[in-house]
Amino acid sequence: MLKVGVLGAGHLGKIHLRLLQQSTKYELVGFYDENQENGKKVAAEFGYKQFDTIARLIHAVDVVDIVTPTLSHYKCAKVAIKSGKHVFIEKPIATTVEEAEEIIALAKEFNIKGQVGHVERFNPAFSAVKNQIENPMFIETHRLAEFNPRGTDVPVVLDLMIHDIDAILSVVKSKVKSVHASGVSVLSQSPDIANARIEFENGCVANITSSRISMKNMRKSRFFQKDAYISVDYLDKICEVVKMKDAPEIPGDFDMILQNAEGEKKQIYFNNPEVEPNNAILDELETFADAINNNTTPIVTLEDGTEALRVAYMIIDSMNRK
């Protein structure tokens, strides 16, 4: 079992603490929170050991789980890596691309492993269909959330949209060619609603919409590729795969047949995989433990987190130009 310590005991930090304590792959040593009063409350309520300095916590563990505000990710990761500790960093990996690239360089220099907390990669609905997403050419995503003051210190692109950016980059094996985006600030100082159109060099287009002032929550993606349509509902954890193949010469009574203008006939059929329920946060933490113990590549690498951040800033820059 790997000894792990958590930096940050806010809303998400408390979830990480609970799951790490349950995990069979980690031994939870304790946590550090910059707000000592909050730390005392968490320690008293749940019984976790509270450390009085970051340095003491880092010294006591093999893995540092960084669940602090984004602004301090770089500082925390730098100290942990230079101490030879593996790092799990909540998304986004850092405040700037330059900070993220330095984290990558340090990880290589000190020969440690790192993973970024893009949790939707572990969503069971996405996991169930990911292997069927092959060369998508049009992608549409909607990530809408009711207003929550937590997270409004950053634009909605870094708060919500970055989840979909990472998922899209994981299935589109091509470089980003151009980005066109627009955003509106409604309640916050930074945009609360954003839409981005990402064009890839291979011709794929992704249309992404995110909002944090909606009346209801929605987290859906649709992937269109030759002879297939795949939808993922991250919120309700359901997926649908609609495929097409050449129609049989003599269709069955219940076969769904479409005919195009050229007279070609296609049969529509459903190939919906079973969605295995899971705890996505626990999965991402435990697969990181596996990567460390087996010396394999983490599922969401530091490079993946950096590329998602880079594209997020391309979107923000496009909005700022308008």
Side-chain angles (χ1 to χ4, degrees), residues 246-247 257-266:
D246 291 334
I257 308 295
L258 290 181
Q259 183 173 321
N260 64 17
E262 289 74 36
E264 295 174 332
K265 291 183 179 180
K266 295 280 187 178

Side-chain angles (χ1 to χ4, degrees), residues 279-300:
N279 185 305
I281 297 176
L282 181 61
D283 272 10
E284 66 178 352
L285 291 165
E286 291 199 332
T287 59
F288 184 47
D290 292 339
I292 295 167
N293 287 326
N294 301 327
N295 194 26
T296 54
T297 303
I299 291 175
V300 185

Side-chain angles (χ1 to χ4, degrees), residues 86-118:
H86 303 291
V87 290
F88 182 97
I89 310 172
E90 252 313 316
K91 65 86 196 164
I93 180 174
T95 310
T96 67
V97 173
E98 291 73 24
E99 287 179 353
E101 287 174 338
E102 192 172 336
I103 290 171
I104 291 172
L106 284 169
K108 287 176 180 172
E109 181 184 346
F110 288 88
N111 195 30
I112 67 91
K113 291 192 183 295
Q115 181 164 315
V116 184
H118 284 289

Side-chain angles (χ1 to χ4, degrees), residues 20-275:
L20 287 167
Q21 191 172 49
Q22 293 173 7
S23 173
T24 57
K25 301 190 179 186
Y26 289 102
E27 177 193 337
L28 177 62
V29 173
F31 74 97
Y32 170 81
D33 192 275
E34 197 169 55
N35 183 332
Q36 290 288 301
E37 287 306 309
N38 178 61
K40 285 176 184 172
K41 285 180 190 172
V42 172
E45 185 176 351
F46 301 103
Y48 310 129
K49 181 179 178 181
Q50 180 187 10
F51 284 77
D52 56 0
T53 68
I54 286 181
R56 284 192 174 130
L57 173 68
I58 290 173
H59 181 72
V61 300
D62 307 307
V63 181
V64 179
D65 181 11
I66 300 169
V67 203
T68 58
T70 305
L71 286 170
S72 61
H73 284 186
Y74 167 71
K75 178 183 72 176
C76 295
K78 191 174 176 181
V79 174
I81 293 169
K82 285 187 171 182
S83 301
K85 311 299 180 178
H86 303 291
V87 290
F88 182 97
I89 310 172
E90 252 313 316
K91 65 86 196 164
I93 180 174
T95 310
T96 67
V97 173
E98 291 73 24
E99 287 179 353
E101 287 174 338
E102 192 172 336
I103 290 171
I104 291 172
L106 284 169
K108 287 176 180 172
E109 181 184 346
F110 288 88
N111 195 30
I112 67 91
K113 291 192 183 295
Q115 181 164 315
V116 184
H118 284 289
V119 71
E120 293 291 37
R121 291 263 210 116
F122 299 84
N123 187 295
F126 183 68
S127 299
V129 296
K130 189 181 177 189
N131 291 339
Q132 297 192 53
I133 303 174
E134 300 169 355
N135 197 30
M137 295 311 290
F138 181 70
I139 301 168
E140 188 161 43
T141 75
H142 289 86
R143 186 169 294 262
L144 315 177
E146 296 172 13
F147 185 74
N148 184 341
R150 192 171 53 82
T152 53
D153 55 326
V154 295
V156 70
V157 176
L158 295 177
D159 180 27
L160 297 180
M161 189 182 280
I162 199 164
H163 283 295
D164 296 308
I165 295 169
D166 172 71
I168 288 167
L169 293 177
S170 76
V171 296
V172 179
K173 303 306 179 187
S174 178
K175 289 183 178 178
V176 172
K177 178 182 173 184
S178 64
V179 169
H180 302 279
S182 57
V184 180
S185 301
V186 180
L187 283 170
S188 315
Q189 296 300 310
S190 58
D192 295 304
I193 301 174
N195 174 262
R197 176 185 169 92
I198 302 173
E199 295 184 24
F200 293 87
E201 289 181 356
N202 70 349
C204 177
V205 172
N207 188 24
I208 315 175
T209 302
S210 290
S211 167
R212 58 185 175 202
I213 52 163
S214 297
M215 299 301 289
K216 63 175 184 177
N217 294 326
M218 178 192 289
R219 304 206 302 261
K220 290 183 178 179
S221 290
R222 295 184 292 166
F223 303 86
F224 297 85
Q225 60 197 41
K226 185 171 175 57
D227 295 334
Y229 156 80
I230 298 164
S231 71
V232 178
D233 187 327
Y234 295 99
L235 195 60
D236 291 333
K237 297 179 175 53
I238 54 176
C239 57
E240 184 177 48
V241 181
V242 182
K243 291 196 170 184
M244 285 190 288
K245 61 184 178 182
D246 291 334
E249 286 189 23
I250 305 173
D253 292 341
F254 299 102
D255 288 350
M256 294 177 66
I257 308 295
L258 290 181
Q259 183 173 321
N260 64 17
E262 289 74 36
E264 295 174 332
K265 291 183 179 180
K266 295 280 187 178
Q267 179 183 351
I268 296 175
Y269 66 103
F270 296 87
N271 182 20
N272 296 346
E274 190 175 337
V275 177

